[in-house]
Amino acid sequence: ALLSALFTFYQQNLKKRGLIMNQTKTAFHRRLVGYIEIGLFAALIVLAITYLKIQMPGKTMVHVGNALVVLSVLLLGFKRGSIASFLGLFIFDVFNGFAASVAFTLLEAGLVLVTVNAVYTYVFKKRDTRFNLVAVSIVAGLVKIVSRPVSIVAQQLVLGSSWNAAMAKVVEKMPATFFTAIVTAILVGILYYPMKHAIERFHPIGE
């Protein structure tokens, strides 16, 4: 009876150890996948702004980076999506001559990310219908359109420009912002579902 009890205890101990090992492996796998996804989205943002763009006057451009910022928070969740977006935008600005404005870029992105997450979570309850996705991306574009002039003026004043010069910069740069907002509204609804199918193999969407 004593041997039987000891054998039973040994088996249970082995099962517990195996369970702990499996849980540890699962947790490690999830963290690894999370880090990889953050890196991939950051790289996609850098590549998209670098190569998928239309250059406009005044060192401005229409690009798809804003669409990927929105997609990052929809697909990866607020925390990891924000990290990926900030990382991608920071790398692009620093290595492409926009280091002086990187702080303002990140502040604008932060406003977009917070607003998108709030609207998608609390208004649309994370229901990823095409209408909701387009609506969220339109909201993201509107936030960008509203925040961009404030950011430009603040940046120019910090750099020592006059108020008139700052407003001239706003007039010069805003057309690209409007077109980028339109591109965002179009692309989010198109790219979301293929990217969703790829990501949900590894974890629930938005987590």
Side-chain angles (χ1 to χ4, degrees), residues 43 45-46 48 76 83 102 112 168 198:
I45 289 170
V46 174
L76 303 184
I83 294 171
V102 66
V112 171

Side-chain angles (χ1 to χ4, degrees), residues 15 19 21 24 36-37 41 45 56 62 69 86 88 97 102-105 112 116 123 128 139 146 148 158 173 180:
K15 287 180 180 179
L19 180 61
M21 288 178 66
T24 302
I36 291 171
E37 287 177 338
F41 258 88
I45 289 170
M56 296 187 70
V62 178
V69 167
F86 288 149
V102 66
F104 297 96
T105 299
V112 171
V116 166
V123 178
D128 58 353
V139 169
V146 171
R148 185 65 175 149
V158 167
K173 292 178 178 291
T180 297

Side-chain angles (χ1 to χ4, degrees), residues 5-178:
L6 288 172
F7 183 71
T8 301
F9 174 78
Y10 180 69
Q11 281 186 318
Q12 290 175 345
N13 191 39
L14 285 178
K15 287 180 180 179
K16 287 180 180 179
R17 288 186 179 182
L19 180 61
I20 292 171
M21 288 178 66
N22 288 335
Q23 289 176 340
T24 302
K25 288 180 180 179
T26 301
F28 173 76
H29 178 261
R30 288 176 179 172
R31 287 197 301 270
L32 181 61
V33 169
Y35 295 145
I36 291 171
E37 287 177 338
I38 288 172
L40 285 174
F41 258 88
L44 282 174
I45 289 170
V46 174
L47 292 173
I49 302 175
T50 303
Y51 298 109
L52 302 178
K53 65 182 179 182
I54 300 173
Q55 201 68 42
M56 296 187 70
K59 294 184 69 176
T60 61
M61 65 186 85
V62 178
H63 59 79
V64 303
N66 203 50
L68 289 170
V69 167
V70 174
L71 286 166
S72 71
V73 74
L74 296 179
L75 294 168
L76 303 184
F78 180 70
K79 181 180 178 180
R80 292 192 297 125
S82 297
I83 294 171
S85 297
F86 288 149
L87 185 60
L89 294 170
F90 178 84
I91 291 172
F92 175 82
D93 276 8
V94 168
F95 288 96
N96 288 273
F98 301 103
S101 63
V102 66
F104 297 96
T105 299
L106 297 183
L107 283 173
E108 290 176 41
L111 286 173
V112 171
L113 289 164
V114 169
T115 305
V116 166
N117 182 66
V119 172
Y120 189 60
T121 301
Y122 300 111
V123 178
F124 296 128
K125 309 298 180 183
K126 294 188 176 182
R127 293 189 296 267
D128 58 353
T129 64
R130 194 174 297 277
F131 173 84
N132 290 351
L133 296 174
V134 172
V136 165
S137 59
I138 290 174
V139 169
L142 291 175
V143 171
K144 192 75 173 178
I145 290 169
V146 171
S147 64
R148 185 65 175 149
V150 178
S151 175
I152 294 169
V153 170
Q155 180 186 345
Q156 292 302 311
L157 293 178
V158 167
L159 293 175
S161 299
S162 65
W163 176 261
N164 290 337
M167 293 307 296
K169 277 289 182 183
V170 171
V171 173
E172 180 182 65
K173 292 178 178 291
M174 283 308 294
T177 303
F178 279 108

